[in-house]
């Protein structure tokens, strides 16, 4: 995007500097990560999915799953496991009741592996993008 300004020579230094500043600003935005309490006050529940649909996530954002560990857990699964509500045997099960998960870029899928809970709706899919939160909803 800076190519035209550079190629056309004199008088465009300010444009080039401006472009560089904007790029630096955007880069700062990319580097910044945020923490989200899944479901806000409702925590990890049947409402987590609709909560997630209203958010924009970036790579490296951290999700905090708050829930009663005697009743629920959290397992990160694949898309097909998410659809099937089935955690593979040997999956890493989070069960502290306040689990923190940093998002990788792209889609992530979470379910509760306690029998019947995922089927009841305690599941959540999120997509972490490279950028796009600047000026947008949080
Ligand atoms: C889910 O949301 C509905 C509608 O806002 C609310 O009535 C219900 O109590 C919520 N359930 C949980 C478990 O937070």
């Amino acid at each position: 995007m800076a190519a035209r300004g550079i190629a056309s020579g004199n008088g465009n230094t300010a444009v080039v500097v401006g472009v560089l500043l904007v790029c630096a600003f955007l880069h700062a935005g990319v580097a910044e990560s945020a923490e989200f309490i899944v479901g806000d006050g409702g925590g990890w529940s049947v409402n987590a999915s609709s909560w997630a649909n209203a958010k924009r996530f970036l790579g490296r954002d951290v999700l905090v799953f708050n829930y009663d560990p005697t009743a629920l857990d959290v397992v990160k699964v694949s898309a097909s496991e998410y659809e099937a509500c089935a955690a593979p045997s040997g999956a890493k099960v989070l069960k502290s009741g306040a689990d923190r998960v940093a998002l990788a870029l792209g889609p992530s899928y979470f379910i509760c592996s306690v029998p019947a809970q995922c089927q009841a709706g305690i599941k959540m899919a999120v997509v972490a993008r490279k950028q796009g939160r600047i000026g947008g909803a949080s």
Side-chain angles (χ1 to χ4, degrees), residues 10-53:
N10 52 359
N12 282 319
T13 307
V15 172
V16 173
V17 169
V19 168
L20 290 176
L21 281 175
V22 168
C23 289
F25 177 73
L26 288 176
H27 187 260
V30 169
E32 177 184 304
S33 66
E35 190 173 290
F36 292 87
I37 306 295
V38 173
D40 294 321
W44 178 223
S45 78
V46 294
N47 292 335
S49 181
S50 55
W51 169 86
N53 287 339

Side-chain angles (χ1 to χ4, degrees), residues 95-121:
K95 47 190 173 190
S96 76
D99 302 309
R100 301 168 57 86
V101 178
L103 291 176
L105 280 180
S108 293
Y109 303 90
F110 301 93
I111 66 171
C112 175
S113 76
V114 173
Q117 297 298 346
C118 176
Q119 287 82 354

